[in-house]
Amino acid sequence: MGRSLKVSPGCIEQVKSALGRNGFPSQKALAEELEISLSTVKSFLAGKPVDYINFEEISGRLGYEWRAIAHQDETIPKPIFEETSAFIIGTPIAHPRYFFGRQKELKRLFDLLKRRPLQNAAIIGKRRSGKTSLLQYLKNITTTPTEQLRPGQKSDWLPSPEKYRWIFVDFQDSRLQNREGLLRYILEFLKMSVPSPCDLDRFMDAVSSNLDRPTVILFDEIGVGLQRCPELDDGFWESLRSLATNQTNGNLGFVLATPESPIKLAHSTGHSSPFFNIFGYTTTLGALTEAEARELIASSPMPFPAEDVEWILNQSKCWPLLLQILCRERLFSLEEGETEDDWREVGLEQLKPFADLQSI
């Protein structure tokens, strides 16, 4: 991000003590774990400026939210809005605290990823069913500090979550719609040297020789990649399959989000690569369970009357997006002190663009 941060003078001693508390016998051990230079770790622990990305990563590995220990000066970005929306519509849910449900799917997905060889999974769902939010949750939940989660929210899905690398690939990002851009992006996340040129052969050499920790690549909107990216041809996908199955000692797994089965999607876009046959587990996202839906509703900062809860459950059919919309409208009406039921009419109007979910 082009800026540096340093540990606040008042936090230096507690941060140093966190080294041993988190299982690191030395500064060198922490540097090796994070694959960063020893000098960077030394600077961090001495309260000297380090690059923002390294500061955030070291803080998280030592069990701190970076803002809590950063020196409060002009280098720290001041958030425009302090308050986070209770109900989120239109954008994927990135912070685990605001993600609800999918416990059955999460258990199975993490079961596939907590042992070597990492296994591959496909998340199938209609538009707006929550596929992207689920991918983000997989990536973030196991390393989010407990104090940032809801009381009792499960996060211990993996035995050693700090060892995992998660790479989120959104094929709607034009920078990732060509072969070199995508390969470079993956190598940068893996903190591996990027060859020049960054072609498929050199990428394969780099990853097969150096991938020594569990790594999960999350492909979002893969249908876009198959339809619009001619450089991502069958040869490209076959190489990824080879990496996952034969060349990385079981350290590489893929989870992709798709509106239909991977094999069907590949065939419909003219692809025949066996990459799309390696997804031994698929799950189709439906509505939340009633218990999960009630938990989402109960997260409102202002409690809803019981009759409104039942009405929201009935109208939403427990689909996450529809729940979020109706809860948002009810919360707004409570905040404004409204006593009529006009919010219900507004809420139903907001549901109309998502009739495909309501019809299921």
Side-chain angles (χ1 to χ4, degrees):
M1 294 189 179
R3 61 179 181 273
S4 298
L5 297 174
K6 60 184 178 182
V7 175
S8 173
C11 297
I12 290 176
E13 290 307 314
Q14 72 181 67
V15 168
K16 286 182 177 179
S17 68
L19 199 66
R21 191 167 63 247
N22 285 275
F24 296 105
S26 65
Q27 297 177 12
K28 182 180 179 182
L30 176 59
E32 291 176 348
E33 169 72 23
L34 296 177
E35 299 181 3
I36 58 179
S37 69
L38 178 58
S39 62
T40 297
V41 171
K42 287 182 175 180
S43 294
F44 176 91
L45 295 173
K48 297 179 180 179
V50 300
D51 178 77
Y52 170 87
I53 297 297
N54 289 329
F55 187 94
E56 186 177 21
E57 187 167 15
I58 297 171
S59 300
R61 186 61 189 89
L62 294 180
Y64 293 103
E65 204 282 323
W66 68 269
R67 291 183 181 86
I69 60 172
H71 182 49
Q72 299 293 322
D73 61 18
E74 68 280 359
T75 64
I76 299 179
K78 302 298 190 297
I80 298 175
F81 299 106
E82 293 289 348
E83 186 177 1
T84 302
S85 297
F87 301 108
I88 301 169
I89 298 99
T91 59
I93 296 171
H95 197 290
R97 183 182 183 89
Y98 303 102
F99 182 93
F100 291 85
R102 308 300 187 199
Q103 294 303 297
K104 177 181 176 182
E105 293 86 351
L106 286 166
K107 183 180 186 305
R108 179 59 65 86
L109 289 166
F110 279 118
D111 281 346
L112 296 171
L113 298 171
K114 69 183 181 183
R115 304 180 185 89
R116 292 183 179 84
L118 274 62
Q119 299 182 56
N120 308 291
I123 299 169
I124 301 171
K126 296 174 69 68
R127 176 178 171 270
R128 301 286 191 173
S129 60
K131 300 187 296 298
T132 301
S133 294
L134 181 53
L135 291 182
Q136 292 283 4
Y137 194 77
L138 284 171
K139 179 171 72 74
N140 296 323
I141 181 58
T142 59
T143 55
T144 299
T146 303
E147 62 270 17
Q148 296 182 25
L149 300 175
R150 302 188 302 275
Q153 188 172 2
K154 183 176 175 59
S155 62
D156 58 342
W157 295 101
L158 297 172
S160 300
E162 71 282 354
K163 295 184 181 297
Y164 280 70
R165 291 197 188 280
W166 301 85
I167 305 175
F168 181 86
V169 177
D170 178 6
F171 281 108
Q172 293 182 116
D173 186 337
S174 61
R175 296 168 295 182
L176 307 181
Q177 293 181 355
N178 64 85
R179 182 181 289 189
E180 182 172 358
L182 177 56
L183 299 181
R184 179 180 297 276
Y185 174 83
I186 293 173
L187 290 175
E188 288 174 348
F189 258 92
L190 293 174
K191 298 186 177 179
M192 296 180 183
S193 297
V194 179
S196 181
C198 188
D199 58 25
L200 188 56
D201 288 347
R202 290 178 173 85
F203 170 84
M204 294 285 289
D205 289 340
V207 176
S208 61
S209 301
N210 298 296
L211 193 69
D212 58 0
R213 57 195 295 183
T215 299
V216 184
I217 299 180
L218 307 164
F219 283 141
D220 193 27
E221 298 290 349
I222 193 170
V224 175
L226 294 175
Q227 294 166 1
R228 303 181 190 172
C229 311
E231 292 184 25
L232 306 184
D233 55 15
D234 283 346
F236 170 83
W237 298 110
E238 287 162 8
S239 294
L240 292 191
R241 183 184 191 278
S242 178
L243 277 179
T245 57
N246 300 316
Q247 301 186 44
T248 52
N249 296 316
N251 279 316
L252 181 61
F254 296 94
V255 180
L256 59 83
T258 169
E260 55 188 338
S261 78
I263 295 175
K264 185 176 180 180
L265 181 65
H267 288 167
S268 67
T269 54
H271 293 269
S272 59
S273 169
F275 172 79
F276 300 97
N277 297 327
I278 66 174
F279 295 89
Y281 172 72
T282 60
T283 182
T284 300
L285 297 186
L288 302 185
T289 66
E290 182 177 329
E292 292 170 342
R294 288 184 180 276
E295 184 183 10
L296 189 159
I297 296 170
S299 70
S300 172
M302 299 180 70
F304 297 163
E307 61 271 21
D308 290 336
V309 172
E310 299 305 318
W311 186 86
I312 289 171
L313 289 170
N314 181 59
Q315 296 297 323
S316 68
K317 297 185 179 179
C318 295
W319 281 96
L321 173 64
L322 309 186
L323 284 163
Q324 297 272 3
I325 291 173
L326 295 179
C327 287
R328 177 192 64 187
E329 296 306 324
R330 185 58 179 123
L331 178 60
F332 284 172
S333 71
L334 289 173
E335 290 176 337
E336 295 298 321
E338 299 172 1
T339 58
E340 303 298 326
D341 284 340
D342 293 349
W343 68 273
R344 294 190 179 189
E345 182 178 345
V346 174
L348 292 175
E349 187 67 25
Q350 295 297 315
L351 296 189
K352 287 182 178 179
F354 312 107
D356 56 332
L357 291 177
Q358 295 171 279
S359 64
I360 296 176

